[in-house]
Amino acid sequence: MSPAPTHTEADAAVAALDPLGADALLSDLPALNRDRDAARLQHRADQLTERAGDVHDPAPARAALRDLGIVAASWCRLHPDRPPADHVAAELLRLGALTGEPPRDSLPSYTTRNPAGRRRRTFTGTPEEELFIAGLATGARVLDEAVGHCVVLGAAVDEGRYADGVAAARATGDAFAAFTRLFHSVRRGMTGRFFAEQLRPFFPPIDLGGASWQAPSGAHLPILTLDVLLYAGTAVAEPAAEPADGTLTAHATDALPYLRPDHRELVSARLGGPGLVARLAARPAAGADAPLRAAVADLTRAFLRFRYPHRKLARDALEARLGPPADGPYRIEPLEGLIDLVRAAGDSLAPRPDGDRQP
């Protein structure tokens, strides 16, 4: 069984499209945002909305959502308690229905469908935002590959193909390690304070059609799909910051509308049932499966090598935005619950080295 095709080629095709002639209209978007020029942002949204009426196919509609969405988000940053104008909202909803995706800017539109170079769509035009976009785009592609390997791993576990499972676990771990390296590269070039103060305000929720639609978020990366495939149904013996599997279920349920359609199917099929680790741990240990258990336990450690520094970055960003202690609607506890879940998953297969725990 080979990994499923990734979304790289389809997203690159969307990135090449400019159905609204937005290249010229969006070149000064960072300046409009710096000037907080709500009137000209509204004018840009009006122009793009009028042109979007001629878009009727899914691929151009995804490019149209990218371009109208980034302008609508820029306008909503200045009007956090108001939805976009009715005609703009109606067009966003139409494009969302045409694509089967959220009716606003999304993680793919900001990253893997965002053209590079002079055509790049950005809120601030800063080197830090460019690093952020490029890192997220590459990270999303790498995680997409990891999901494909993880699906192969799950089938190998269920069918007792231990050697194939070891190879798939290692391929998943290699892809995830590449994502972790990208995370650290972005982290070195962009502080949590910069994100909290300069970028985060451009990602407000937007009310459309009687629903509140979340902004693009790291929570919508394919790491969530991996979490569910691997760790759903894992039992946590020690008291956690929150019920760990409940944290994952709630997190996945909230993010489900924002995942790619094929990932929505994978997550929906696994939520409420045992993930790969729980299925493997429930089997009687046999000598033949020892290498597979060890390989999957190593995979959980690869996740922890991302989860610990990610938690610190989240703490730094929250403190920069809210001041310590970081509390209220932006909380660290769900991240703590996921760490507890991954620890428990690894422990159910093989004990961790003493030095593998971090505070």
Side-chain angles (χ1 to χ4, degrees):
M1 180 178 181
S2 300
T6 67
H7 304 96
T8 299
E9 290 185 6
D11 283 355
V14 172
L17 298 177
D18 183 20
L20 308 186
D23 284 357
L25 291 179
L26 297 183
S27 61
D28 63 348
L29 182 60
L32 298 183
N33 284 329
R34 282 194 298 274
D35 295 342
R36 304 179 69 86
D37 194 334
R40 292 180 68 191
L41 286 170
Q42 182 60 61
H43 182 58
R44 291 285 191 278
D46 293 341
Q47 291 175 290
L48 294 172
T49 297
E50 182 178 0
R51 297 178 185 186
D54 295 328
V55 174
H56 301 289
D57 295 320
R62 291 185 176 99
L65 265 178
R66 174 195 66 208
D67 296 337
L68 181 55
I70 196 171
V71 175
S74 296
W75 186 90
C76 287
R77 164 198 171 229
L78 302 176
H79 305 86
D81 299 322
R82 291 169 55 187
D86 289 347
H87 63 291
V88 176
E91 188 57 37
L92 287 168
L93 288 165
R94 186 187 76 85
L95 292 170
L98 188 56
T99 62
E101 297 181 0
R104 59 164 299 168
D105 53 325
S106 65
L107 187 71
S109 75
Y110 187 58
T111 60
T112 51
R113 296 174 187 163
N114 195 342
R118 297 180 64 182
R119 296 186 59 229
R120 178 74 89 195
R121 277 69 165 137
T122 74
F123 293 109
T124 67
T126 58
E128 291 90 346
E129 187 182 9
E130 172 60 32
L131 175 68
F132 184 58
I133 293 171
L136 278 175
T138 305
R141 287 189 285 266
V142 168
L143 287 173
D144 203 21
E145 293 175 7
V147 169
H149 292 303
C150 194
V151 170
V152 173
L153 171 59
V157 167
D158 293 338
E159 296 165 13
R161 294 184 284 107
Y162 300 134
D164 290 344
V166 169
R170 289 174 178 166
T172 305
D174 289 345
F176 198 82
F179 167 74
T180 302
R181 289 192 295 271
L182 284 164
F183 167 77
H184 286 297
S185 176
V186 172
R187 188 184 180 197
R188 286 191 295 269
M190 187 188 73
T191 65
R193 180 172 292 277
F194 176 88
F195 176 79
E197 295 179 353
Q198 302 298 320
L199 278 184
R200 183 64 182 82
F202 290 101
F203 298 101
I206 297 179
D207 291 334
L208 296 166
S212 180
W213 289 92
Q214 297 175 18
S217 165
H220 307 153
L221 280 167
I223 189 173
L224 173 62
T225 308
L226 290 167
D227 282 335
V228 172
L229 291 177
L230 288 166
Y231 308 124
T234 296
V236 179
E238 300 174 3
E242 291 188 355
D245 187 48
T247 296
L248 178 59
T249 300
H251 182 43
T253 301
D254 287 346
L256 199 60
Y258 304 92
L259 302 181
R260 294 177 183 272
D262 56 331
H263 286 204
R264 281 181 226 159
E265 292 181 11
L266 288 171
V267 169
S268 296
R270 185 49 59 195
L271 277 179
L276 185 151
V277 171
R279 300 197 307 277
L280 183 58
R283 291 183 168 197
D289 73 355
L292 177 57
R293 288 173 178 263
V296 176
D298 285 345
L299 181 57
T300 69
R301 295 178 189 122
F303 273 66
L304 289 174
R305 284 191 285 273
F306 162 74
R307 285 288 179 199
Y308 290 128
H310 176 248
R311 176 181 58 184
K312 183 180 186 308
L313 182 67
R315 281 175 176 160
D316 291 347
L318 286 169
E319 289 186 2
R321 191 167 183 217
L322 304 169
D327 204 352
Y330 308 98
R331 301 162 55 236
I332 291 295
E333 283 84 356
L335 296 181
E336 301 282 8
L338 290 173
I339 287 173
D340 287 331
L341 189 66
V342 178
R343 282 175 171 170
D347 285 349
S348 70
L349 298 173
R352 273 175 289 117
D354 291 340
D356 201 42
R357 286 187 180 271
Q358 293 193 29

